[in-house]
Amino acid sequence: MYQNVCYENNFLKEVIVKVDFSSPLEALRKKIPPHVGNAALTCFPISEPKKALAQKLKLSAVEITHEKQEFTEWNYYGREREKRLVIAPHCVFVTYSHYSTFEALKEDFFSVLSSLFEAFPNLGIGRTGLRYINHIVPNMPDPFEWHDYIDGRLLGLFSRFTERKYITRLFNIAEFKYEDLQIKFQFGAPNPDFPATIRRPLFILDIDGFVHGLQELSEISKNLDRAHERIQALFEESITDRLREVMHVCRV
């Protein structure tokens, strides 16, 4: 019911879509297939690879050892650095700091992921995730009075603890499971000035949807659609019409 809803001025701090490989792609440690790089550059024209280290902990009957492996993290950015693509031996992800639509995010992501499946037909995906982090910072004087913007059912702790001059953080976590799709919902006032007491209004709605288990390319697409549908519904159920006005709700 919310699939056609969008906002001109959202409070999204970051949106992340990511898949973890079931086992590392050793071929990506030092080089990237040319057509994968070309696919990345189409949507992310700034290339900035960098060296990184992976650490492994090995346990045996007689000792514990640490093993370090150097690899190249293939970083690509949008023209205004408004988005970032990372390809590494263990995962690929896209993060947006300026978000438009889920369809645009998914198109960018799959243009690269599809090229990886072409280069590595036996590529295994062990986890798919989609995460939306909203930092709601409206123009209001009291950092505890959120009823105009946040659904009252999420504000139980705000009415429970009345000695507000002593509060340093009010944060909640709720987790759900819809068959194999899991949702982790973190919400509340994390307080950027912690461990000082809360002085500035900031309310976070951080919704993370993910699926564990081996997945084909077509399954990844469906799982992201499912995660997006649940995330969007949970977000809409967590806000008020007043916040929708602030964000300039529109329908596409």
Side-chain angles (χ1 to χ4, degrees):
M1 63 182 294
Y2 300 113
Q3 61 183 0
N4 296 323
V5 175
C6 64
Y7 297 98
E8 294 179 10
N9 302 311
N10 60 59
F11 285 101
L12 282 164
K13 181 73 171 179
E14 190 174 16
V15 180
I16 307 160
V17 57
K18 180 183 179 185
V19 295
D20 295 326
F21 305 145
S22 56
S23 59
L25 276 177
E26 298 298 329
L28 291 177
R29 289 195 180 277
K30 294 184 178 181
K31 63 181 181 179
I32 191 167
H35 76 281
V36 175
N38 290 335
L41 288 169
T42 300
C43 300
F44 303 83
I46 300 174
S47 174
E48 293 183 0
K50 69 176 185 179
K51 297 296 182 183
L53 283 175
Q55 297 192 45
K56 285 186 177 180
L57 182 66
K58 289 188 174 182
L59 303 177
S60 70
V62 295
E63 63 179 350
I64 300 175
T65 59
H66 293 270
E67 179 183 312
K68 293 183 179 180
Q69 288 185 317
E70 185 178 82
F71 65 92
T72 301
E73 185 180 85
W74 308 96
N75 289 272
Y76 299 86
Y77 296 86
R79 295 188 186 279
E80 305 297 326
R81 293 187 176 270
E82 77 287 3
K83 57 185 180 179
R84 176 189 177 205
L85 162 70
V86 175
I87 303 172
H90 56 285
C91 71
V92 57
F93 68 86
V94 168
T95 176
Y96 274 40
S97 57
H98 296 282
Y99 177 83
S100 56
T101 65
F102 170 65
E103 289 72 23
L105 170 70
K106 189 177 175 183
E107 183 177 354
D108 280 353
F109 184 66
F110 271 87
S111 66
V112 177
L113 187 62
S114 298
S115 70
L116 278 168
F117 268 89
E118 290 173 6
F120 306 101
N122 295 322
L123 177 63
I125 302 299
R127 183 187 186 276
T128 295
L130 179 66
R131 184 177 182 183
Y132 285 74
I133 305 172
N134 297 270
H135 281 206
I136 300 170
V137 190
N139 184 16
M140 55 184 253
D142 191 332
F144 292 94
E145 292 299 327
W146 288 99
H147 286 88
D148 285 345
Y149 302 102
I150 303 298
D151 186 277
R153 291 170 294 181
L154 299 185
L155 300 176
L157 291 181
F158 285 78
S159 57
R160 165 63 180 83
F161 299 108
T162 57
E163 294 186 298
R164 294 177 173 179
K165 63 181 180 180
Y166 303 114
I167 297 175
T168 60
R169 183 180 287 159
L170 279 174
F171 214 64
N172 307 261
I173 298 176
E175 299 192 41
F176 311 87
K177 189 169 185 179
Y178 305 93
E179 297 180 344
D180 59 344
L181 172 64
Q182 299 180 64
I183 300 290
K184 184 176 182 180
F185 182 26
Q186 301 179 88
F187 59 96
N191 186 14
D193 301 312
F194 183 87
T197 55
I198 295 177
R199 299 176 185 139
R200 292 182 287 166
L202 168 62
F203 200 99
I204 284 184
L205 297 172
D206 178 352
I207 313 174
D208 187 9
F210 51 93
V211 174
H212 287 284
L214 289 176
Q215 301 159 61
E216 300 292 337
L217 188 62
S218 60
E219 293 175 309
I220 296 169
S221 178
K222 292 176 183 177
N223 287 334
L224 288 177
D225 289 342
R226 293 166 57 211
H228 178 258
E229 182 179 355
R230 292 288 184 181
I231 289 170
Q232 187 173 25
L234 191 51
F235 174 76
E236 292 292 339
E237 292 164 2
S238 301
I239 65 174
T240 66
D241 287 339
R242 173 65 183 129
L243 186 59
R244 293 184 179 93
E245 292 173 4
V246 171
M247 294 191 294
H248 298 165
V249 63
C250 60
R251 293 186 177 271
V252 295

